Amino acid sequence: MSWIAENLVGRVGSLLQGLSGPSKKASVTTLHEIRMEMLAALGDVAEKRFPLVQLRVTYASDIDDLWYLRGDVMAAIASLRGEAVAKEKLHQISTMFVGLVPHNLTNKFSVRLS
């Protein structure tokens, strides 16, 4: 009887795991892509003018960390290239988070830009 219960729990767990979001491997690849996009948006000048922002982006441990660093990235870009460019870059970066952070976070962001 315990084998049936364990098998059932394992199957339900597998189903729920698929609903929780992207696989770990996809997240690692996407994390790297988003990180590189943020660093590219900051540019080479940011290394000298905003080293802390660059380091925080470089060493962010997960998607959530990068999501919450967007404000710092936007402030640095705005300081370097102006607010209009910063908003455009941030919008491009933020679209990369769709499906990786809770929907209500990306939905709120897209509403603010409209």
Side-chain angles (χ1 to χ4, degrees):
M1 195 72 109
S2 66
W3 177 83
I4 294 172
E6 288 176 21
N7 195 15
L8 181 61
V9 169
R11 287 183 181 187
V12 170
S14 295
L15 289 172
L16 292 175
Q17 191 174 19
L19 296 175
S20 67
S23 69
K24 183 71 171 169
K25 185 174 181 179
S27 293
V28 170
T29 301
T30 305
L31 177 72
H32 178 71
E33 291 170 357
I34 294 171
R35 176 181 290 128
M36 296 311 293
E37 189 69 27
M38 292 173 105
L39 292 172
L42 286 167
D44 295 334
V45 177
E47 184 177 355
K48 292 179 181 151
R49 296 217 20 225
F50 301 100
L52 185 58
V53 174
Q54 186 181 27
L55 285 173
R56 291 176 67 200
V57 170
T58 300
Y59 295 106
S61 62
D62 60 26
I63 294 293
D64 292 337
D65 289 347
L66 287 177
W67 173 259
Y68 290 109
L69 282 170
R70 292 173 317 113
D72 295 340
V73 170
M74 181 172 172
I77 296 169
S79 175
L80 296 169
R81 298 183 187 98
E83 189 174 342
V85 172
K87 280 185 178 182
E88 181 182 324
K89 295 281 187 187
L90 193 68
H91 179 67
Q92 292 170 357
I93 291 167
S94 295
T95 60
M96 298 176 78
F97 287 92
V98 173
L100 301 172
V101 294
H103 176 70
N104 61 338
L105 292 177
T106 55
N107 190 35
K108 286 178 187 176
F109 180 76
S110 63
V111 168
R112 278 193 304 219
L113 286 178
S114 299

